[in-house]
Amino acid sequence: MSKKCRKKSVCAVVVMVAMLCISGCGSGKIKSDKVLRVGVVTYTQDDPFINALADKLKENLKSMETEDMKITVSVKNGNDDQQDQNDIVEEMIDAGCDVLCVNLVDRTAPSRIIRLAKQNDIPIIFFNREPVWEDLMQWEDLYYVGCDAEQSGVMQGEIAADYIKNHPEVDKNQDGEIQYVLLEGEAGHQDAISRTDFSVKTLIEKEVNLEKLSYQFADWNRGQAENRMNRLISQYKDGIELVISNNDEMALGAVEAYRKAGYEQAEWPVIFGIDGLDDALEAIKAGEMQGTVYNDKEDQALQIAKLAVEIFRGEDVNRNKLKEGRYYVSEYQPVYSSNVEDFIKRQTR
Ligand code: BGC
């Protein structure tokens, strides 16, 4: 290499390093500017659980600002379309960000997002919609914050079984079997699959005799669940004794359907959800729902925020505690009429 050429390549390296420092888009290991820019992309704008989690996340990140580190947060959604979400992630990267928090539209299709992030050296914390293990292992700066869906299914089954054992009147026609319908979240979602499976298995293990009337997908959505339940109520009249729902929004859709169908509350089936959203806690208090399982959005939001800051600062206090160095698993908690007030108080604090 000629002297002139060598000088040129040294210059090019110096310029590249300087540009990296200025853009602040690296993995955070070397930082000259102290602004942490976090890009949050949810799968839709219409999911109350996800919106509540994203609000908490924003709040937590803002509260973690220090004198020497400003934090900016940009929250967007993927319009329920994986292509759109990929484009939004690309725009966020182009606009400049240090850490991405992604709630995938399709948890089996994160490849383009991972490729983009890796090319630009921007760590991703996936949340709520879990990529498969092989995808998460594609690169060392990929993380996941969520829950163990099986645990929520088991808890829901236990709460329902206890309630049914203590309230023989649930078996309205006294035939020794509980006629039930199940409202399912979304085909392919890890939570829908395991919750459906384990809530029913647990009820059976607890020796509740079940008769399945119908399983209906309602995409986690209150309105869709109400429609499905309207049809089932027309078909079975007051013959449904138990509604098991993969989440609270759909359980509240069932409540709405019974309210509008004009049945007295005493004729309603017992209804169980998952999430512990404010409306569901109120419905339990009012006796319209009998239980739910608290999906700790506050804990998940806090862990995502802590991880984002740590990654940016190049620290690993919390990262050290992650399962396989990648997974944070939040604990679910059972909610029923006797402890619902504690959860309501927690929300208003
Ligand atoms: C929640 C649902 C939510 C879904 C979105 C689940 O963990 O329980 O309420 O709609 O995640 O992915």
Side-chain angles (χ1 to χ4, degrees):
M1 206 189 276
S2 73
K3 225 177 174 182
K4 211 171 162 191
C5 263
R6 222 179 304 139
K7 251 193 184 163
K8 259 194 181 167
S9 11
V10 171
C11 272
V13 171
V14 171
V15 169
M16 266 168 62
V17 170
M19 274 172 68
L20 265 178
C21 291
I22 294 163
S23 75
C25 242
S27 65
K29 281 153 205 152
I30 318 162
K31 283 280 166 239
S32 59
D33 59 338
K34 281 289 185 192
V35 181
L36 162 56
R37 293 160 303 175
V38 184
V40 181
V41 198
T42 63
Y43 82 100
T44 179
Q45 62 175 356
D46 298 323
D47 186 312
F49 175 78
I50 294 296
N51 290 345
L53 197 162
D55 286 348
K56 287 274 163 215
L57 173 57
K58 203 168 169 181
E59 228 174 89
N60 284 321
L61 282 165
K62 277 293 177 195
S63 75
M64 287 176 189
E65 275 189 333
T66 55
E67 262 177 19
D68 68 334
M69 185 185 62
K70 206 176 136 39
I71 302 181
T72 64
V73 190
S74 157
V75 183
K76 302 220 157 129
N77 80 84
N79 299 319
D80 241 321
D81 183 311
Q82 192 55 62
Q83 298 280 3
D84 280 8
Q85 191 177 49
N86 295 347
D87 294 344
I88 287 161
V89 166
E90 192 163 5
E91 280 164 23
M92 278 186 163
I93 292 176
D94 288 346
C97 72
D98 303 289
V99 179
L100 280 163
C101 305
V102 180
N103 173 226
L104 287 165
V105 175
D106 177 353
R107 72 185 190 94
T108 64
S111 299
R112 184 153 158 241
I113 291 182
I114 293 177
R115 195 162 5 97
L116 283 169
K118 197 171 164 187
Q119 274 163 7
N120 293 280
D121 200 15
I122 301 172
I124 310 182
I125 305 166
F126 290 104
F127 64 99
N128 172 264
R129 297 175 157 231
E130 186 176 347
V132 295
W133 186 85
E134 287 76 6
D135 281 330
L136 209 71
M137 294 301 144
Q138 278 190 41
W139 181 40
E140 61 188 14
D141 269 325
L142 303 176
Y143 304 87
Y144 178 71
V145 171
C147 303
D148 170 14
E150 177 180 328
Q151 187 189 37
S152 56
V154 170
M155 279 185 187
Q156 189 182 45
E158 285 170 353
I159 301 170
D162 280 354
Y163 189 94
I164 293 166
K165 291 222 164 118
N166 291 320
H167 296 82
E169 70 279 9
V170 173
D171 184 7
K172 288 187 279 188
N173 60 2
Q174 293 293 307
D175 67 348
E177 287 187 327
I178 302 297
Q179 281 73 38
Y180 79 102
V181 303
L182 200 146
L183 296 170
E184 296 196 73
E186 187 185 334
H189 192 300
Q190 81 279 341
D191 290 347
I193 298 167
S194 293
R195 289 173 184 174
T196 298
D197 198 15
F198 284 95
S199 60
V200 173
K201 258 191 200 147
T202 306
L203 275 155
I204 294 169
E205 267 165 29
K206 298 259 167 197
E207 293 173 350
V208 176
N209 291 327
L210 291 176
E211 187 192 346
K212 168 178 166 178
L213 298 181
S214 183
Y215 280 29
Q216 297 281 327
F217 279 107
D219 278 345
W220 304 118
N221 182 277
R222 195 186 293 207
Q224 281 193 39
E226 189 183 332
N227 288 340
R228 305 280 183 280
M229 284 307 301
N230 281 339
R231 265 191 264 143
L232 292 172
I233 294 171
S234 313
Q235 187 177 351
Y236 295 106
K237 311 284 182 271
D238 62 352
I240 303 169
E241 296 172 336
L242 163 68
V243 177
I244 305 171
S245 173
N246 281 172
N247 78 344
D248 282 347
E249 276 297 303
M250 296 187 295
L252 290 161
V255 167
E256 209 44 45
Y258 275 96
R259 197 180 285 139
K260 289 185 186 152
Y263 285 102
E264 295 288 320
Q265 207 169 305
E267 295 166 315
W268 294 14
V270 283
I271 302 175
F272 296 88
I274 292 179
D275 278 340
L277 293 178
D278 294 355
D279 289 357
L281 298 178
E282 290 302 331
I284 293 172
K285 196 172 153 189
E288 295 171 334
M289 277 174 65
Q290 282 60 43
T292 188
V293 176
Y294 200 75
N295 189 352
D296 201 337
K297 54 189 180 304
E298 288 78 13
D299 181 44
Q300 290 162 63
L302 182 64
Q303 296 304 325
I304 298 170
K306 278 189 187 166
L307 257 179
V309 171
E310 263 197 37
I311 294 168
F312 180 70
R313 289 186 181 275
E315 296 165 352
D316 59 5
V317 184
N318 284 290
R319 266 193 288 173
N320 266 340
K321 296 183 202 136
L322 298 178
K323 209 174 104 200
E324 296 184 68
R326 306 298 184 91
Y327 292 89
Y328 177 82
V329 185
S330 186
E331 289 288 312
Y332 285 106
Q333 297 156 69
V335 187
Y336 21 70
S337 64
S338 57
N339 71 353
V340 72
E341 281 295 350
D342 300 343
F343 286 86
I344 292 177
K345 271 190 214 131
R346 229 168 96 166
Q347 305 307 310
T348 48
R349 228 184 271 154

Short mmCIF file of all heavy atoms in Angstrom, two decimals, residues 35 81 94 99 102 111 119 123 126 158 193 198 202 266 270 281-282 297 311 324 345 349:
data_model
loop_
_atom_site.label_atom_id
_atom_site.label_comp_id
_atom_site.label_asym_id
_atom_site.label_seq_id
_atom_site.Cartn_x
_atom_site.Cartn_y
_atom_site.Cartn_z
N VAL A 35 -27.79 10.86 25.20
CA VAL A 35 -29.23 10.80 25.00
C VAL A 35 -29.56 9.37 24.61
O VAL A 35 -29.02 8.84 23.64
CB VAL A 35 -29.70 11.76 23.87
CG1 VAL A 35 -31.21 11.68 23.72
CG2 VAL A 35 -29.27 13.17 24.15
N ASP A 81 -50.02 -5.43 10.98
CA ASP A 81 -49.48 -5.92 9.71
C ASP A 81 -47.95 -6.00 9.83
O ASP A 81 -47.29 -4.99 10.08
CB ASP A 81 -49.91 -4.93 8.61
CG ASP A 81 -49.46 -5.37 7.23
OD1 ASP A 81 -48.27 -5.72 7.04
OD2 ASP A 81 -50.30 -5.34 6.32
N ASP A 94 -33.61 4.61 10.84
CA ASP A 94 -33.08 5.71 10.02
C ASP A 94 -33.12 7.03 10.77
O ASP A 94 -32.21 7.86 10.64
CB ASP A 94 -33.91 5.86 8.72
CG ASP A 94 -33.62 4.71 7.76
OD1 ASP A 94 -32.61 3.99 7.99
OD2 ASP A 94 -34.41 4.50 6.81
N VAL A 99 -32.05 1.82 21.27
CA VAL A 99 -32.60 0.52 21.67
C VAL A 99 -34.02 0.44 21.12
O VAL A 99 -34.77 1.42 21.17
CB VAL A 99 -32.65 0.38 23.22
CG1 VAL A 99 -33.24 -0.97 23.61
CG2 VAL A 99 -31.27 0.54 23.84
N VAL A 102 -39.84 -4.18 20.82
CA VAL A 102 -40.76 -4.59 19.75
C VAL A 102 -41.76 -5.63 20.23
O VAL A 102 -41.39 -6.67 20.77
CB VAL A 102 -39.98 -5.12 18.53
CG1 VAL A 102 -40.94 -5.55 17.42
CG2 VAL A 102 -39.00 -4.07 18.00
N SER A 111 -37.61 -11.97 11.27
CA SER A 111 -36.30 -12.02 10.61
C SER A 111 -35.84 -10.68 10.06
O SER A 111 -34.69 -10.30 10.23
CB SER A 111 -36.30 -13.03 9.47
OG SER A 111 -36.57 -14.28 10.01
N GLN A 119 -27.65 -5.26 11.49
CA GLN A 119 -26.83 -4.45 10.56
C GLN A 119 -26.47 -3.10 11.17
O GLN A 119 -25.40 -2.58 10.95
CB GLN A 119 -27.62 -4.17 9.27
CG GLN A 119 -27.51 -5.24 8.23
CD GLN A 119 -28.62 -5.12 7.18
OE1 GLN A 119 -29.39 -4.16 7.16
NE2 GLN A 119 -28.70 -6.10 6.30
N PRO A 123 -29.69 -3.03 19.71
CA PRO A 123 -30.29 -4.14 20.46
C PRO A 123 -31.82 -4.08 20.44
O PRO A 123 -32.40 -2.99 20.38
CB PRO A 123 -29.79 -3.91 21.89
CG PRO A 123 -28.63 -3.00 21.77
CD PRO A 123 -28.86 -2.17 20.56
N PHE A 126 -37.67 -7.68 22.69
CA PHE A 126 -39.02 -8.07 22.28
C PHE A 126 -39.86 -8.20 23.54
O PHE A 126 -39.34 -8.55 24.60
CB PHE A 126 -38.98 -9.42 21.56
CG PHE A 126 -38.32 -9.38 20.21
CD1 PHE A 126 -37.04 -9.88 20.02
CD2 PHE A 126 -38.99 -8.83 19.12
CE1 PHE A 126 -36.42 -9.83 18.78
CE2 PHE A 126 -38.38 -8.78 17.86
CZ PHE A 126 -37.10 -9.28 17.69
N GLU A 158 -57.32 -23.26 38.21
CA GLU A 158 -57.46 -23.44 39.66
C GLU A 158 -58.53 -22.54 40.25
O GLU A 158 -59.35 -22.97 41.06
CB GLU A 158 -56.11 -23.14 40.35
CG GLU A 158 -55.10 -24.25 40.15
CD GLU A 158 -53.68 -23.88 40.61
OE1 GLU A 158 -53.45 -22.69 40.96
OE2 GLU A 158 -52.82 -24.76 40.61
N ILE A 193 -52.39 -20.33 22.98
CA ILE A 193 -52.21 -21.79 22.90
C ILE A 193 -52.12 -22.39 24.31
O ILE A 193 -52.86 -23.30 24.67
CB ILE A 193 -50.93 -22.14 22.10
CG1 ILE A 193 -51.06 -21.61 20.66
CG2 ILE A 193 -50.66 -23.63 22.10
CD1 ILE A 193 -49.75 -21.60 19.87
N PHE A 198 -53.90 -25.30 29.22
CA PHE A 198 -53.69 -25.56 30.64
C PHE A 198 -54.88 -25.20 31.53
O PHE A 198 -55.03 -25.78 32.59
CB PHE A 198 -52.40 -24.91 31.13
CG PHE A 198 -51.21 -25.69 30.68
CD1 PHE A 198 -50.53 -25.35 29.52
CD2 PHE A 198 -50.79 -26.80 31.40
CE1 PHE A 198 -49.46 -26.10 29.08
CE2 PHE A 198 -49.71 -27.55 30.98
CZ PHE A 198 -49.04 -27.21 29.80
N THR A 202 -56.26 -28.20 33.81
CA THR A 202 -56.27 -28.02 35.27
C THR A 202 -57.66 -28.27 35.83
O THR A 202 -57.81 -28.94 36.87
CB THR A 202 -55.78 -26.59 35.63
OG1 THR A 202 -54.52 -26.39 35.03
CG2 THR A 202 -55.66 -26.41 37.13
N ALA A 266 -78.22 -13.63 37.84
CA ALA A 266 -78.21 -14.98 38.46
C ALA A 266 -78.25 -16.08 37.39
O ALA A 266 -77.85 -17.22 37.66
CB ALA A 266 -79.40 -15.11 39.39
N VAL A 270 -70.65 -18.44 34.97
CA VAL A 270 -69.50 -17.81 35.62
C VAL A 270 -68.46 -17.52 34.53
O VAL A 270 -68.32 -18.29 33.57
CB VAL A 270 -68.91 -18.68 36.76
CG1 VAL A 270 -69.77 -18.57 37.99
CG2 VAL A 270 -68.72 -20.13 36.34
N LEU A 281 -61.34 -5.86 36.84
CA LEU A 281 -61.31 -5.83 38.31
C LEU A 281 -62.66 -5.29 38.82
O LEU A 281 -63.24 -5.84 39.77
CB LEU A 281 -60.15 -4.95 38.81
CG LEU A 281 -58.73 -5.42 38.43
CD1 LEU A 281 -57.69 -4.43 38.94
CD2 LEU A 281 -58.43 -6.82 38.96
N GLU A 282 -63.17 -4.26 38.14
CA GLU A 282 -64.48 -3.71 38.54
C GLU A 282 -65.58 -4.74 38.32
O GLU A 282 -66.51 -4.85 39.13
CB GLU A 282 -64.80 -2.42 37.75
CG GLU A 282 -63.93 -1.22 38.13
CD GLU A 282 -64.02 -0.83 39.61
OE1 GLU A 282 -65.07 -1.07 40.23
OE2 GLU A 282 -63.02 -0.29 40.15
N LYS A 297 -48.27 -6.08 34.04
CA LYS A 297 -47.74 -5.13 33.04
C LYS A 297 -46.76 -4.15 33.66
O LYS A 297 -45.81 -3.71 33.02
CB LYS A 297 -48.87 -4.39 32.32
CG LYS A 297 -49.84 -3.70 33.24
CD LYS A 297 -51.03 -3.19 32.47
CE LYS A 297 -52.03 -2.47 33.39
NZ LYS A 297 -52.53 -3.26 34.53
N ILE A 311 -28.46 -1.70 28.83
CA ILE A 311 -27.82 -2.02 27.54
C ILE A 311 -27.11 -0.77 27.02
O ILE A 311 -25.98 -0.82 26.58
CB ILE A 311 -28.88 -2.52 26.52
CG1 ILE A 311 -29.47 -3.86 26.97
CG2 ILE A 311 -28.28 -2.64 25.14
CD1 ILE A 311 -30.70 -4.28 26.20
N GLU A 324 -31.07 -17.77 30.50
CA GLU A 324 -30.23 -17.95 29.30
C GLU A 324 -29.63 -16.62 28.82
O GLU A 324 -29.34 -16.46 27.63
CB GLU A 324 -31.03 -18.57 28.15
CG GLU A 324 -31.51 -19.98 28.45
CD GLU A 324 -32.20 -20.61 27.26
OE1 GLU A 324 -31.54 -20.89 26.25
OE2 GLU A 324 -33.42 -20.83 27.34
N LYS A 345 -56.72 -1.19 44.49
CA LYS A 345 -55.95 -0.17 45.20
C LYS A 345 -54.60 0.05 44.52
O LYS A 345 -54.13 1.15 44.39
CB LYS A 345 -55.71 -0.62 46.65
CG LYS A 345 -56.81 -0.17 47.58
CD LYS A 345 -56.42 -0.41 49.02
CE LYS A 345 -57.65 -0.79 49.83
NZ LYS A 345 -57.47 -1.98 50.65
N ARG A 349 -52.90 3.73 43.06
CA ARG A 349 -51.78 4.27 43.83
C ARG A 349 -50.93 5.26 43.03
O ARG A 349 -50.82 5.15 41.82
CB ARG A 349 -50.85 3.12 44.27
CG ARG A 349 -50.52 3.24 45.75
CD ARG A 349 -49.55 2.17 46.15
NE ARG A 349 -50.27 0.95 46.57
CZ ARG A 349 -49.72 -0.28 46.49
NH1 ARG A 349 -48.54 -0.46 45.97
NH2 ARG A 349 -50.37 -1.32 46.93
#
